[in-house]
Amino acid sequence: MPDGFLDAVTSTATGVLAIGGVAAALRGTKRELSERTTPLVGLCATFVFAAQMVNFPVGAGTSGHLIGGALAAVLVGPWSAILCMSVVIIVQSLLFADGGITALGTNITLMGLVSVAVGWACVVVLRRALLRSIRWLPVVAGISAWASVVASSAAFTGLYALGGTVPLPMSKVLVAMVGWHALIGLGEAVITGLVVASVLSTRPDLVYAARPLIAARTLEIRTGATS
Amino acid sequence: MKPPTRRLAGVALLVAAALITIVSRFASKAPDGLTRVATDNGMASAPSHEPLLSYGPATGLVGALVVLLLVSGLMLLLRKGR
């Protein structure tokens, strides 16, 4: 998001929210990190940065690109994912002027905090409700990624309703934002599902969201061997 | 047998480099969802600041390297600080 979409008060409020979120993520990441997975967080952020450079067409002269919040949360955990997304957004803004400086707080809030929080919440709920096998995790990740994109677009509309610099009919903006991003979210879902499936097929132990499933699977094997 | 983490990391970096240097050449030039909605609805944006770099294969790699170093350094600091 460029500068100037939101007024100063709203931009400042999202800036404070982003600082609070990143501070919480710094604390949470300490608990989340393991020796084996520490290098993967940097790789995950690098992949998200690279993937965000590739816009894919969604029709009617519009494109979308990966946000990557849900993908990062599945791969490295939600707190580390917030830090990944924040660094990517800051580098894009400061080096490439891709996203305004006064909009940094809003961009981190929407693509870091909201995207990761909604994506991870969906993963946790779906994993608990639906998953019997680790093989379904890419599907869960894809659905969560779609939801995270749609939620971020709805959150943008909410912020615009609070502090947009041009008064607009918000129902129209909401329908347009959510409509386009529901389409873009399909691309996000496919990319997220494929990446998660790729890592799961080679090193499932490195996928943060798979840890409880791997632990459960190990327990099942031990139970079977003794009966 | 599980591939070692280093090999997986190498593959991930190669994929990222390929996305930046090859796949991004075929990226859609159409406006993204937010830009489309902003244009259609007349949202006003302020002039952006001057970029230090403009997106391209070489500068994309520079950006990716900066992200990798910053996040990896941050993670090492957090691990040491536990």
Side-chain angles (χ1 to χ4, degrees):
Chain A
M1 192 181 90
D3 290 321
F5 273 15
L6 300 179
D7 61 24
V9 175
T10 311
S11 295
T12 305
T14 55
V16 171
L17 194 61
I19 289 168
V22 170
L26 286 169
R27 284 195 300 275
T29 299
K30 284 186 185 178
R31 294 192 300 271
E32 218 166 58
L33 277 178
S34 70
E35 192 174 342
R36 197 171 37 177
T37 56
T38 299
L40 299 177
V41 185
L43 290 171
C44 179
T46 307
F47 180 83
V48 168
F49 176 86
Q52 287 196 0
M53 284 182 66
V54 181
N55 277 46
F56 49 84
V58 293
T62 306
S63 71
H65 61 72
L66 183 86
I67 291 180
L71 172 64
V74 169
L75 292 178
V76 298
W79 295 119
S80 305
I82 289 172
L83 296 183
C84 283
M85 297 304 297
S86 300
V87 171
V88 167
I89 291 162
I90 289 167
V91 168
Q92 285 174 337
S93 175
L94 297 186
L95 280 188
F96 297 96
D98 186 7
I101 288 179
T102 62
L104 258 178
T106 309
N107 283 327
I108 290 174
T109 299
L110 294 175
M111 293 198 288
L113 306 184
V114 174
S115 159
V116 170
V118 172
W120 183 247
C122 288
V123 167
V124 170
V125 170
L126 291 174
R127 191 177 58 185
R128 198 174 295 155
L130 302 175
L131 274 184
R132 295 288 179 271
S133 162
I134 201 169
R135 283 178 300 177
W136 289 98
L137 188 57
V139 176
V140 164
I143 294 168
S144 304
W146 180 84
S148 74
V149 172
V150 173
S152 296
S153 69
F156 167 81
T157 311
L159 288 176
Y160 199 88
L162 288 173
T165 48
V166 176
L168 296 170
M170 290 319 299
S171 57
K172 191 180 164 199
V173 173
L174 179 67
V175 169
M177 275 300 286
V178 172
W180 282 116
H181 287 86
L183 277 177
I184 292 167
L186 296 176
E188 178 102 6
V190 170
I191 295 168
T192 301
L194 287 175
V195 173
V196 171
S198 302
V199 182
L200 273 179
S201 67
T202 50
R203 290 291 302 270
D205 56 312
L206 295 180
V207 177
Y208 184 88
R211 287 179 189 175
L213 301 167
I214 291 171
R217 189 171 61 176
T218 305
L219 285 173
E220 278 173 19
I221 290 167
R222 283 176 185 169
T223 305
T226 54
S227 60
Chain B
M1 199 175 77
K2 288 190 291 190
T5 308
R6 279 186 187 178
R7 193 189 304 169
L8 191 73
V11 171
L13 287 176
L14 277 177
V15 170
L19 284 172
I20 292 167
T21 57
I22 300 167
V23 183
S24 68
R25 292 171 195 265
F26 305 101
S28 172
K29 300 287 187 284
D32 65 15
L34 176 61
T35 309
R36 174 67 187 261
V37 174
T39 306
D40 288 353
N41 291 279
M43 289 179 189
S45 64
S48 63
H49 56 286
E50 281 297 312
L52 294 174
L53 301 171
S54 53
Y55 280 121
T59 55
L61 288 175
V62 170
L65 185 64
V66 170
V67 168
L68 179 64
L69 292 176
L70 283 176
V71 176
S72 300
L74 181 61
M75 292 304 131
L76 286 175
L77 281 175
L78 288 173
R79 266 189 58 74
K80 280 187 179 176
R82 282 205 292 201

